[in-house]
Amino acid sequence: MAEAQLFVSQDDFTCSMCLDTLTDPVTIPCGHSFCLKCLTDCWDQSQECSCPQCRHTFTTRPTLRRNTLLNEILKKFTKTRLCSPPSQNYAGPGYVECDFCTGKKLRAMKSCLTCPASYCQTHLQPHYEVAAWKDHKLVDPDRNLKEKLCEKHQKSLEIFCETDDTCICMMCGVTEHNGHKMVKLETEREEKQVSGV
């Protein structure tokens, strides 16, 4: 009989309190799991016992017991992860984070000026596969996406108005800068780089 493959990521074993891999996992009556220390510290500092994730309140403090099944799965997952190289890197200092990752954020591979958001390799896939997103403007990861958007129309700045010496979006070009001398932003950038301005 063929063995089924199970695809899991580190996020599936992350404590939502410390955002690290579960340590001594305990599962509370609502079904959520946390590190024993994280949950104990939280409840010791609070007047009531509630789930940090779904906020379900318990009338009496539940007895916490280690989730042995989850603990065994974590051991196997950790061992497997140590044997194989990581497929993707988490965003560290100096890197742009994926806007769609939950828990620990993966490093963004591209930023989309149309959306505007930054995406890891997994969350970027729809931009290559969904027909409606294929014409979106993808650039290298950029943490300053807001600066590349027109404040008025929230569209990407793609045109340079030579008359007003400013970057504008297509809507501005049609409405407020009609009749002005305009060039593509890339053209203006190249000319300035050549002239050393």
Side-chain angles (χ1 to χ4, degrees):
M1 180 159 59
E3 189 176 308
Q5 287 191 342
L6 177 64
F7 295 101
V8 293
S9 72
Q10 171 128 10
D11 288 346
D12 297 324
F13 302 112
T14 299
C15 172
S16 63
M17 295 177 77
C18 67
L19 301 178
D20 208 348
T21 304
L22 288 163
T23 307
D24 293 328
V26 291
T27 305
I28 55 179
C30 63
H32 293 112
S33 298
F34 305 93
C35 299
L36 175 63
K37 184 176 180 355
C38 292
L39 190 60
T40 304
D41 289 349
C42 174
W43 284 357
D44 287 347
Q45 296 170 10
S46 176
Q47 298 289 334
E48 65 177 13
C49 294
S50 63
C51 174
Q53 197 160 337
C54 71
R55 302 288 183 229
H56 177 83
T57 305
F58 306 103
T59 52
T60 58
R61 185 170 177 161
T63 305
L64 299 176
R65 292 190 180 92
R66 179 188 270 184
N67 184 327
T68 53
L69 177 61
L70 185 55
N71 198 44
E72 289 302 312
I73 292 170
L74 273 167
K75 282 181 186 174
K76 289 178 182 174
F77 178 74
T78 305
K79 187 186 290 184
T80 304
R81 203 178 56 194
L82 291 174
C83 295
S84 60
S87 59
Q88 293 177 316
N89 297 327
Y90 287 104
Y95 289 101
V96 178
E97 294 180 340
C98 174
D99 291 319
F100 292 89
C101 284
T102 57
K104 279 190 172 178
K105 301 231 178 224
L106 293 176
R107 186 184 307 170
M109 295 293 130
K110 290 286 183 187
S111 292
C112 178
L113 296 178
T114 312
C115 291
S118 297
Y119 299 92
C120 67
Q121 193 61 47
T122 303
H123 290 117
L124 182 63
Q125 280 310 114
H127 277 81
Y128 297 121
E129 296 168 357
V130 178
W133 292 356
K134 285 186 180 182
D135 63 340
H136 284 200
K137 186 158 177 73
L138 297 174
V139 296
D140 287 334
D142 191 337
R143 69 180 73 249
N144 301 317
L145 286 176
K146 295 279 186 212
E147 294 173 12
K148 292 185 170 54
L149 292 178
C150 170
E151 288 182 16
K152 188 172 187 178
H153 300 108
Q154 295 302 305
K155 302 280 184 193
S156 61
L157 300 171
E158 299 177 16
I159 303 170
F160 183 77
C161 175
E162 291 182 340
T163 307
D164 293 335
D165 194 33
T166 188
C167 299
I168 59 173
C169 73
M170 296 288 258
M171 290 292 293
C172 286
V174 173
T175 58
E176 298 157 33
H177 298 261
N178 195 9
H180 291 192
K181 186 174 180 196
M182 296 179 267
V183 293
K184 282 190 162 192
L185 199 54
E186 288 86 15
T187 306
E188 180 67 15
R189 187 178 301 121
E190 288 169 8
E191 286 178 14
K192 286 193 175 187
Q193 285 174 343
V194 169
S195 64
V197 176

